[in-house]
Amino acid sequence: YVTIKLSSAVSVVNGHKFTVLVKTTTPGRTYPLPLEYPISQYSSRATSEPDESFASSDGNNWLDLNNYDASACLKAYTASSVATVAAPIFSPDAGTYTKEQKVTISCATSGAEIHYSVNGAAPTTSDPKIASGAAVTVSKSLTLKAKAWKTGMNPSAVKSAVYTISHIPTNISLAPSSGYLRGYWKYTFVSKHSDSAGAGTIKSVSLLINSATVGSNAIYCIYIGNKLYLRNDEGTRSLGGYEVGSDNVIENGQCRLYCKNTTVSRSGNTLTVNWVIEIKPSMANRVCYGWLFAADSDGFYKGWDKFGEFTFRPLTEPWNVCLIPVSATFNTGVKYTISSVYFDIACCSSIDIAALLINNVQSASNAVYVLYNVQTDKLFLRNDAGTGNLGGYAPGSDNVIENKQCKLYCKYTTVVNNINGLAISWSIEMKPSMAGKSCKCWLYVKDITGVYNGWSFLGSRTIK
């Protein structure tokens, strides 16, 4: 044998076929190519497989030597084994995540060139290139693949990982989340929802007020695609489908949903819906719960999440409506006006007693506890012990009723009757004994039949 060393190494891949092509000339000889034949006990293993050993006299037409039970006397040796590039590494690796991931792609082989794909196909050198240690942002569910190349080495195996980005939305809060509600009144319910991928990925949200998580006989409002819906009484289909802010009202047997007054806003990851709903009398005497539901554009959802309890009052019951202002800081020795509003579906003249309590605990002792008797048109102030009433003077009269906590100025206290509503503007001066207290404000109302509503916590006062 004659050994010929190549001028430069030729890389071959383990497991792949390759061809060694040699041209020989032997001037003056008839048979220039030596062949091996299997001869017993001499060259019995000198055979070739089909499509393995060929010979040609002109370089164009080739004979398969296997047809002659022969093999060309030609061998190829590797000087050393060819190394393979290390497979890329992903960090973090495949998995399910609730927010986008920065996936670092690295390769242990120095100088290797990494290419990656996100379309499911194995990477080629035509795919995007990334430096070892750099990151790819995975913001949606996909299969990430990477492969590395280096001259003189076998390319790496393909690294593949499936990333599922769930972006599971969450229901943050519902306000109010509890309290007393009644028919014919319009309420604003504020629901907040979030998604780690941004509020824009939230596709739909729902508010359900019912005794159970069923759509029948319920207040079941839906927001999807900037349109509002309300489930019918049977809970089998959606009513409406009107744009937020449009001049439409959607109603079923339980409520009315006002599209014009309902608003939707997005800020960062949070979506907020202000649902404006009017309760119908059919909800009276029911105890219900508030649930929220949210779904994103990838089909992931969260719900139903429970947020508090609501009691629906009968229409015949008087109602504590509001306190104005809701919260404030009072200085002692200064007169302030506090307005309280009450309601009775029958008529404001059906109200018997309307009261306001200001204290750090719900107690009549050592408190600012003022009362107005509608039937006698008289103002009162509870004594320090909370056991009896002081005063009994008409609003506008030149009288001052006082205990150790406050003074009630009858002259500046006014009462306004408006069909079903009663508004009282109390003129009150805090005394030094109240200084330093952080107080809550409660309202109470009772009608002439003895039916009452109270105490309703509706505000706060800080006394200095």
Side-chain angles (χ1 to χ4, degrees):
Y1 284 94
V2 175
T3 301
I4 301 174
K5 292 186 177 182
L6 304 181
S7 58
S8 61
V10 176
S11 296
V12 292
V13 179
N14 186 29
H16 290 203
K17 292 182 178 180
F18 65 94
T19 300
V20 176
L21 184 63
V22 177
K23 180 180 179 180
T24 62
T25 59
T26 53
R29 298 286 182 176
T30 305
Y31 302 104
L33 183 65
L35 302 177
E36 287 185 320
Y37 290 92
I39 298 174
S40 177
Q41 297 189 11
Y42 178 70
S43 56
S44 58
R45 293 184 292 172
T47 60
S48 63
E49 298 294 328
D51 297 327
E52 188 176 72
S53 189
F54 298 86
S56 173
S57 60
D58 57 10
N60 294 315
N61 300 299
W62 295 84
L63 297 175
D64 190 338
L65 297 180
N66 176 260
N67 295 332
Y68 303 95
D69 198 23
S71 173
C73 296
L74 186 63
K75 301 181 185 296
Y77 296 90
T78 55
S80 61
S81 61
V82 177
T84 299
V85 178
I89 299 171
F90 295 164
S91 179
D93 212 335
T96 299
Y97 302 92
T98 58
K99 61 181 180 180
E100 71 176 23
Q101 295 296 302
K102 301 289 186 182
V103 180
T104 300
I105 303 178
S106 57
C107 180
T109 301
S110 177
E113 184 177 276
I114 307 170
H115 294 263
Y116 70 94
S117 67
V118 293
N119 59 4
T124 68
T125 53
S126 298
D127 285 307
K129 182 171 68 173
I130 186 171
S132 181
V136 173
T137 300
V138 178
S139 58
K140 63 180 181 178
S141 298
L142 53 79
T143 299
L144 178 64
K145 294 184 178 182
K147 187 175 180 179
W149 284 263
K150 185 176 182 180
T151 302
M153 299 180 70
N154 296 325
S156 74
V158 174
K159 167 64 177 178
S160 180
V162 177
Y163 292 88
T164 301
I165 308 299
S166 62
H167 299 313
I168 298 175
T170 57
N171 300 303
I172 301 174
S173 63
L174 176 66
S177 60
S178 61
Y180 295 101
L181 308 176
R182 65 183 301 154
Y184 295 125
W185 279 80
K186 198 182 290 185
Y187 297 91
T188 298
F189 295 92
V190 181
S191 65
K192 292 189 176 184
H193 319 262
S194 71
D195 195 300
S196 59
T201 64
I202 300 176
K203 183 179 180 181
S204 68
V205 296
S206 300
L207 164 64
L208 172 65
I209 299 176
N210 205 358
S211 54
T213 51
V214 295
S216 59
N217 300 313
I219 297 172
Y220 187 167
C221 306
I222 303 167
Y223 165 77
I224 180 171
N226 203 43
K227 291 186 177 180
L228 296 169
Y229 299 84
L230 178 65
R231 283 298 222 183
N232 64 358
D233 294 337
E234 295 77 22
T236 55
R237 62 185 179 90
S238 295
L239 308 173
Y242 302 118
E243 295 281 338
V244 173
S246 65
D247 197 16
N248 292 286
V249 178
I250 316 170
E251 63 181 296
N252 61 12
Q254 289 65 241
C255 73
R256 293 186 178 93
L257 174 60
Y258 289 83
C259 303
K260 185 174 184 178
N261 306 111
T262 296
T263 62
V264 179
S265 62
R266 289 179 170 86
S267 177
N269 294 337
T270 303
L271 180 144
T272 303
V273 183
N274 294 289
W275 311 86
V276 178
I277 299 170
E278 179 184 329
I279 309 300
K280 287 192 173 181
S282 61
M283 294 294 290
N285 299 311
R286 291 180 61 181
V287 176
C288 296
Y289 305 96
W291 282 278
L292 295 180
F293 179 95
D296 68 13
S297 54
D298 289 330
F300 296 98
Y301 62 88
K302 185 67 171 66
W304 295 93
D305 292 323
K306 186 177 178 182
F307 287 90
E309 179 180 307
F310 300 99
T311 300
F312 292 87
R313 294 291 196 182
L315 292 179
T316 55
E317 183 183 90
W319 192 248
N320 298 307
V321 179
C322 65
L323 186 71
I324 304 171
V326 175
S327 60
T329 298
F330 285 177
N331 294 313
T332 59
V334 179
K335 285 197 293 289
Y336 292 94
T337 298
I338 308 172
S339 298
S340 56
V341 181
Y342 313 85
F343 178 89
D344 195 304
I345 191 66
C347 180
C348 69
S349 61
S350 296
I351 296 176
D352 183 24
I353 299 293
L356 163 65
L357 171 65
I358 302 175
N359 205 354
N360 54 358
V361 293
Q362 191 180 310
S363 170
S365 61
N366 301 313
V368 175
Y369 184 171
V370 291
L371 306 92
Y372 173 65
N373 188 312
V374 177
Q375 304 305 311
T376 62
D377 190 31
K378 293 292 191 295
L379 295 169
F380 299 89
L381 174 66
R382 281 288 203 187
N383 61 12
D384 295 331
T387 56
N389 292 334
L390 306 172
Y393 305 115
S397 65
D398 196 16
N399 294 286
V400 177
I401 316 170
E402 60 182 297
N403 59 13
K404 290 182 179 179
Q405 287 64 241
C406 73
K407 294 178 181 180
L408 174 60
Y409 290 86
C410 302
K411 185 176 183 177
Y412 305 108
T413 297
T414 60
V415 176
V416 177
N417 298 311
N418 185 14
I419 306 176
N420 302 106
L422 172 67
I424 305 173
S425 295
W426 312 88
S427 181
I428 298 173
E429 177 187 326
M430 298 296 177
K431 288 189 174 182
S433 63
M434 293 291 288
K437 282 191 175 183
S438 294
C439 298
K440 294 182 177 181
C441 303
W442 292 270
L443 296 185
Y444 173 96
V445 63
K446 179 173 70 73
D447 69 16
I448 55 177
T449 67
V451 178
Y452 65 91
N453 186 345
W455 293 91
S456 301
F457 167 54
L458 293 174
S460 61
R461 293 295 182 272
T462 299
I463 316 300
K464 289 187 175 181

